[in-house]
């Protein structure tokens, strides 16, 4: 299973970079972000709650959301979960 699923560009197309914006560059709409949230939850588990993260952002931040910012959020969430598990 690919986290991006149908949103991954076909081979030979422009690559997705950390600076790629979900809206402008990947042409994702808000409903697509909801779908991505579900895919992230399936892939990483409840530690990565993208819907909650999106809810914490201002509208302009969501519009300008980049792949890099999402990667940072996922990495931070997984580190936090690993630290909490280690402390138990």
């Amino acid at each position: 299973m690919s986290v991006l699923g149908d949103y991954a560009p076909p081979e030979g197309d422009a690559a997705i970079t950390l600076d790629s914006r979900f809206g402008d560059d990947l042409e994702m709409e808000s409903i697509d972000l909801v779908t991505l949230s579900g895919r992230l939850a399936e892939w990483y588990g409840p530690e990565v709650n993208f819907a909650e993260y999106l809810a914490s952002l201002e509208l302009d931040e969501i519009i300008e959301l980049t792949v890099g910012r999402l990667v940072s959020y996922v990495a931070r969430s997984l580190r936090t979960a690993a630290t909490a598990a280690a402390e138990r």
Side-chain angles (χ1 to χ4, degrees), residues 68-79:
R69 190 161 177 191
L70 173 58
V71 168
S72 294
Y73 165 72
V74 170
R76 186 173 55 251
S77 296
L78 294 175
R79 273 194 308 272

Side-chain angles (χ1 to χ4, degrees), residues 1-6 34-44:
M1 174 180 133
S2 167
V3 173
L4 287 178
D6 296 337
V34 172
T35 300
L36 178 58
S37 177
R39 287 182 174 274
L40 289 167
E42 287 176 29
W43 191 267
Y44 293 108

Side-chain angles (χ1 to χ4, degrees), residues 18-85:
L18 294 176
D19 293 325
S20 296
R21 290 173 292 172
F22 287 99
D24 290 340
D25 300 324
L26 301 179
E27 299 178 359
M28 293 178 79
E29 298 180 9
S30 59
I31 191 68
D32 299 320
L33 293 176
V34 172
T35 300
L36 178 58
S37 177
R39 287 182 174 274
L40 289 167
E42 287 176 29
W43 191 267
Y44 293 108
E47 294 83 9
V48 177
N49 190 336
F50 187 51
E52 184 176 277
Y53 175 68
L54 284 175
S56 75
L57 300 177
E58 297 292 327
L59 180 58
D60 60 327
E61 293 175 299
I62 295 170
I63 292 169
E64 294 298 317
L65 185 64
T66 64
V67 171
R69 190 161 177 191
L70 173 58
V71 168
S72 294
Y73 165 72
V74 170
R76 186 173 55 251
S77 296
L78 294 175
R79 273 194 308 272
T80 300
T83 300

